[in-house]
């Protein structure tokens, strides 16, 4: 099965998301854009939930998300079961998010990083695997069971 990467953004992340889609497509990586479709003001949660639903429904395994600070869209994504969105502002954070947390969405602050920095972060995120072992039990404790 071909890997498809889902992407979502609000207006503040719209331009960066489109540049990353172009970059990934040039590398023959298939993408699915959940919006937004313009730089007009919008609500990040609307697009985060679409991406998260696709991951929950097993339509996608991995996603990338962008908003101005990275926080709002990240919080929205993490409201979903089976979504582990990591707020990544440097490659080392992206690597640890994958290795230790089995993160399946990489969220970046589009207003605070340039395109080259974002590309480096997502390349590390996509190339890094989950270490499992002692980290697996920690992942299992994330879900709240009342």
């Amino acid at each position: 099965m071909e890997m498809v990467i889902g992407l979502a953004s609000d207006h503040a992340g719209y331009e960066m998301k489109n540049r990353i889609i172009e970059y990934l497509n040039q590398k023959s990586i298939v993408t699915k854009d959940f919006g937004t479709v313009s730089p007009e003001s919008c609500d990040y949660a609307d697009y985060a939930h679409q991406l998260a639903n696709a991951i929950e429904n097993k339509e996608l395994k991995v996603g990338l998300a962008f908003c101005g600070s990275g926080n709002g869209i990240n919080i929205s994504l993490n409201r979903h079961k089976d979504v582990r969105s990591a707020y990544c502002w440097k490659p080392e954070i992206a690597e640890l998010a994958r290795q230790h947390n089995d993160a399946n969405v990489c969220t970046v602050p589009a207003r605070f990083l340039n395109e080259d920095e974002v590309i480096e972060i997502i390349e590390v995120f996509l190339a890094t695997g989950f270490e499992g072992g002692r980290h697996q039990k920690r992942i299992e404790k994330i879900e709240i069971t009342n």
Side-chain angles (χ1 to χ4, degrees), residues 16 19-20 22-23 113-120:
M16 183 66 73
R19 285 189 264 162
I20 297 306
E22 184 178 314
Y23 169 79
L113 299 172
N114 65 46
E115 183 176 352
D116 290 338
E117 291 170 319
V118 172
I119 288 171
E120 185 178 5

Side-chain angles (χ1 to χ4, degrees), residues 78-90:
N78 279 315
R79 299 293 297 164
H80 289 259
K81 183 175 174 18
D82 299 325
V83 174
R84 289 174 307 283
S85 181
Y87 178 72
C88 301
W89 67 96
K90 54 196 277 188

Side-chain angles (χ1 to χ4, degrees), residues 38-73:
S38 82
E40 292 182 34
S41 184
C42 64
D43 300 330
Y44 48 76
D46 295 338
Y47 306 101
H49 294 314
Q50 290 179 51
L51 172 58
N53 287 336
I55 290 172
E56 282 183 316
N57 295 331
K58 310 258 187 283
E59 298 165 34
L60 299 170
K61 290 186 178 185
V62 68
L64 305 171
F66 310 85
C67 76
S69 71
N71 285 310
I73 203 163

Side-chain angles (χ1 to χ4, degrees), residues 108-133:
V108 297
R111 287 186 174 149
F112 297 91
L113 299 172
N114 65 46
E115 183 176 352
D116 290 338
E117 291 170 319
V118 172
I119 288 171
E120 185 178 5
I121 289 166
I122 63 170
E123 283 182 344
V124 167
F125 185 85
L126 296 173
T128 303
F130 178 50
E131 288 182 351

